[in-house]
Amino acid sequence: MKKRWYDYLWIASALYLILSFFNILFAWLGLLCFFIPLGIALLGGNKGYCNRYCGRGQLFSLLGGRFGLSRKKDVPRWMKSKVFRYGFLVFFFAMFFSMLWSTWLVFSGAQDLKQAVTLLWTFKLPWNWAYHGTILHHGVAQFAFGFYSVMLTSTVLGLITMIVFKPRSWCVYCPMGTMTQLICKAKNRKEA
Amino acid sequence: MSSERKRRKAVVDQFLCVACGYCVKVCPLQAIAVIGGVTARADVQKCVGCGRCAAECPASVIEIQEANS
């Protein structure tokens, strides 16, 4: 099938992870992966982002498919259950809001900037090469560290399930995918 | 075993489908679509039951079944 421009968005996803690794402020660009799918779901009532533009999904299918890094086994039943998918969405958002809270604490001056990336919500990795100060408030960097933690954690989880199960197993429990599907369900039920 | 040849079609478990749309990408005949961002559905007129979508579906919720038609 003919390749379209959006079939190469995996390059943008890879570039995002690499650039933010060296300069944490690039992590802010990750907000696009939140607002674009939500916008498409809310305005268009479809999952156009997952279906076409998700660079992360493309990256997983490339690594797991063409590069053969996946066992290509079925995901377990519980992983595709509504309980797990909605539970993971709630957990992910709880962690997201806790990250926003830490950002607020830095903005308000109650806490100092922590130059660390928290992997899998547990492991605090020192990350002191990616930020050297700007004219902006330290809170801007704190959000970037927190957001990069979210993006890196989801990438690591996605890579693990890519290796153990099918390349795009992440799509099964991706919180953005679950949320946009819920929005589409609500929206299309009303219109139907 | 019957010698009669039955048509094979992709059938999506619409309750478990996550509507990621990967089946749409891999289908060689554009015979499957995601309907309203909720679930994928195969077009029985176009589907030849090749099984590509069933093999690639991240959630493994597509089955190739023999159709009556």
Side-chain angles (χ1 to χ4, degrees):
Chain A
M1 214 158 83
K2 196 174 162 260
K3 290 247 186 197
R4 309 273 188 138
W5 65 268
Y6 49 75
D7 290 317
Y8 297 95
L9 285 172
W10 59 270
I11 299 172
S13 279
L15 214 58
Y16 169 79
L17 291 170
I18 296 165
L19 287 175
S20 314
F21 185 95
F22 294 107
N23 185 338
I24 203 67
L25 294 174
F26 279 107
W28 274 86
L29 289 174
L31 281 176
L32 293 172
C33 306
F34 273 61
F35 289 122
I36 296 173
L38 284 179
I40 293 176
L42 287 168
L43 301 175
N46 64 65
K47 294 220 332 169
Y49 187 82
C50 296
N51 302 167
R52 284 190 173 166
Y53 309 115
C54 181
R56 167 177 308 229
Q58 291 171 13
L59 200 59
F60 289 143
S61 52
L62 193 71
L63 293 174
R66 197 166 299 174
F67 289 2
L69 297 176
S70 172
R71 290 167 68 229
K72 298 190 177 161
K73 302 282 181 194
D74 290 350
V75 294
R77 277 199 79 81
W78 58 263
M79 201 178 259
K80 48 188 162 181
S81 70
K82 297 263 192 282
V83 175
F84 178 73
R85 290 180 61 215
Y86 295 158
F88 188 68
L89 175 67
V90 170
F91 171 74
F92 203 85
F93 266 81
M95 292 297 122
F96 191 80
F97 283 112
S98 118
M99 180 276 278
L100 287 182
W101 176 245
S102 321
T103 304
W104 164 246
L105 289 179
V106 173
F107 266 113
S108 67
Q111 252 179 32
D112 291 333
L113 168 69
K114 289 191 190 75
Q115 296 195 49
V117 164
T118 313
L119 205 57
L120 300 167
W121 308 285
T122 316
F123 308 105
K124 285 208 177 353
L125 313 175
W127 212 269
N128 44 26
W129 58 82
Y131 181 65
H132 306 287
T134 57
I135 52 163
L136 303 169
H137 196 280
H138 274 341
V140 174
Q142 188 62 63
F143 177 79
F145 278 110
F147 202 76
Y148 193 59
S149 304
V150 170
M151 298 300 270
L152 204 61
T153 295
S154 52
T155 305
V156 167
L157 277 182
L159 284 173
I160 294 170
T161 49
M162 174 199 84
I163 294 167
V164 180
F165 307 115
K166 285 190 178 177
R168 286 178 75 137
S169 302
W170 167 254
C171 300
V172 176
Y173 61 98
C174 167
M176 289 314 295
T178 308
M179 190 159 56
T180 49
Q181 191 183 26
L182 280 174
I183 293 170
C184 291
K185 268 184 187 166
K187 213 174 144 73
N188 295 327
R189 189 180 298 159
K190 249 184 240 162
E191 282 168 11
Chain B
M1 234 174 115
S2 161
S3 60
E4 188 187 335
R5 224 173 170 179
K6 285 193 172 176
R7 286 171 188 275
R8 291 159 65 82
K9 305 282 178 196
V11 178
V12 181
D13 183 333
Q14 299 190 356
F15 180 72
L16 289 176
C17 175
V18 300
C20 68
Y22 197 48
C23 50
V24 181
K25 272 197 181 167
V26 299
C27 176
L29 295 172
Q30 289 88 51
I32 195 161
V34 175
I35 314 293
V38 178
T39 181
R41 199 180 297 158
D43 179 342
V44 285
Q45 300 300 319
K46 289 187 191 166
C47 179
V48 294
C50 71
R52 188 78 197 273
C53 56
E56 300 282 348
C57 173
S60 308
V61 295
I62 307 179
E63 264 186 13
I64 303 300
Q65 293 178 359
E66 288 191 339
N68 293 325
S69 61

